[in-house]
Amino acid sequence: MRSAPIFARPAFLQDWNDYNAVLRVQVLEPVVAESVVIIGAGQAGFSCAMRLRSKGFPGTVTILGDEPHFPYQRPPLSKGYVTGKTGVDGLALSGETAFADHGVTFLKGAAAQSVDANARSVTLKGGRAIGYDALVFATGSRARRLPDAMGMGLKGVHTLRGLADADALRDAVQDARHAVIIGGGFIGLEFAATLAAQGVTVTLLEAAPRILNRVAGETMSRLVAEKHRSHGVSIRTGVTLERLDGVDGRFTGVSLADGSNIAADLALVGIGGLANDELAAGAGLETKNGITVDAHARTADPAVYAAGDCALFPIAGTMMRLESVQNAIDQAHHVADEIMGVHMPYAPVPWFWSDQYDWKLQTAGLAVAPDGEIALQGHREGATAVWYIKHGRAIAVDTINDGKTHMAARRIFAAGHALTAADISAPDFDPVQVMRGLKN
Ligand SMILES: Cc1cc2nc3c(=O)[nH]c(=O)nc-3n(C[C@H](O)[C@H](O)[C@H](O)COP(=O)(O)OP(=O)(O)OC[C@H]3O[C@@H](n4cnc5c(N)ncnc54)[C@H](O)[C@@H]3O)c2cc1C
């Protein structure tokens, strides 16, 4: 690794913030890739291609998407899209000419079938081979399914990941009277809120002792559960699903391990995601429900990178996949910069949002194994912030309708400012003031 001083401003760095960042990088090497192939035309693939062009990458950029669509946003699928509030036009990531306008070759409906890392070549379904100097896996993730033997294949049982799933759900919601949602994570809860607002009776089943068990602390889980219950959603935690029941191939309800049954006409299975990492594994790369990359988003093959939902990367002292728009965009930008010769560790302040009823839930930071929580009233009436503490210092905050705290926290964490439990517990604590007091 080289750490030569940088005397000239590289042409592709368009503003001084970038330039300042470059002064802190470990390495600046000449651009070596003349052709970049990106597998996956989702949020990360799109962001990587556009970043390469916006930074002046002079070579060819080819993006392969196995869906029959221009890249689109997934978050509205569990929110306004299912009920028709958001139309298909509201999902687009940009105008459909964006790739052509920026000299990016977009192969729509093109599924990459294998990667030959030695030959640096991707083969598409159908046999066409495309060579690359740099390859980016942006293959995303897919919804985890229950075993078919549990009734997963019944008509009326859905998962929600892509536009085709959302279209099927949109139709199903028209006639639904009682829905069962399996899984109390964000997608299940957003869909529960959407259905409840449509007057559908909703039962949400969660195997863990509380909803949002993996992603939020006890206070937030309780507040969100209370909100759903106040809208008539029945939430049952600590429940073991025996099977999805059906008659003549059509879903009719669920049977639980305690012997009880719930009749329903629609089921959403929202039990998490699995990385689309098989192609990378087939190319000899390390995968563990995610394509293993280092802090520079590089796999063990120096010509191959991964970004977005499919990437398993080091953060907060552990290896993790993040399924969020923030990570898809920022990591994809990072990969583009790496390909352009700017080598900085990817060390984001993760953030996330979810819309449920009249609540905007937001997270800033990453609550990995916190040892405490401090809940505070936020700036506006009804606004709440739950700070997560580890070794006396704030590591993340979940907010409800408190955008000011969320934005301030992102800046505070990004600055590396040590916000302590004592600071947060002080009667006059105001994160916005803390943010304003940060240097630069
Ligand atoms: C319903 C829903 C709601 C969400 N809500 C939020 C939210 O409120 N806030 C938030 O921050 N995040 C949310 N997310 C998560 C966010 O949308 C994802 O983290 C983000 O889309 C990840 O982008 P990606 O490019 O990594 O993956 P994707 O967007 O999944 O794109 C990957 C693409 O690669 C394609 N692909 C896979 N294999 C191949 C292959 N072999 N050849 C060619 N193409 C291939 C896939 O079909 C897909 O089109 C939500 C996700 C869902 C599903």
Side-chain angles (χ1 to χ4, degrees), residues 39-46 64-67 72-79 110-113 138-141 160-162 187 190 276 279 307-310 322-326 328 351-355:
I39 306 178
Q43 184 81 62
F46 174 84
L64 313 173
D66 62 0
E67 292 187 83
Y72 59 90
Q73 306 173 65
R74 291 172 202 275
L77 298 181
S78 48
K79 305 172 180 84
Q113 204 162 37
T139 45
S141 58
L160 179 50
R161 178 71 207 171
I187 288 182
E190 286 186 350
N276 292 326
L279 201 57
D309 282 16
C310 69
L322 290 180
E323 292 185 10
S324 70
V325 168
Q326 170 276 318
W351 58 266
F352 183 83
W353 84 96
S354 171
D355 297 325

Side-chain angles (χ1 to χ4, degrees), residues 24 60 76 158 228 342:
R24 286 184 266 113
T60 62
H158 298 256
H228 278 268
V342 180

Side-chain angles (χ1 to χ4, degrees), residues 109-123:
Q113 204 162 37
S114 64
V115 171
D116 182 338
N118 292 323
R120 294 201 173 167
S121 167
V122 180
T123 302

Side-chain angles (χ1 to χ4, degrees), residues 200-211:
V200 179
T201 303
V202 183
T203 304
L204 186 141
L205 306 175
E206 169 57 58
R210 58 185 178 84
I211 59 166

Side-chain angles (χ1 to χ4, degrees), residues 158-233:
H158 298 256
T159 55
L160 179 50
R161 178 71 207 171
L163 197 45
D165 305 326
D167 283 336
L169 266 176
R170 202 180 203 179
D171 291 345
V173 163
Q174 309 295 323
D175 304 321
R177 291 212 305 273
H178 187 168
V180 169
I181 295 172
I182 295 148
F186 281 116
I187 288 182
L189 288 164
E190 286 186 350
F191 190 59
T194 302
L195 288 181
Q198 295 275 105
V200 179
T201 303
V202 183
T203 304
L204 186 141
L205 306 175
E206 169 57 58
R210 58 185 178 84
I211 59 166
L212 297 175
N213 190 43
R214 240 174 11 95
V215 290
E218 286 185 16
T219 309
M220 194 52 72
S221 291
R222 179 177 48 75
L223 292 174
V224 174
E226 282 168 6
K227 179 74 172 174
H228 278 268
R229 288 187 173 119
S230 77
H231 284 263
V233 174

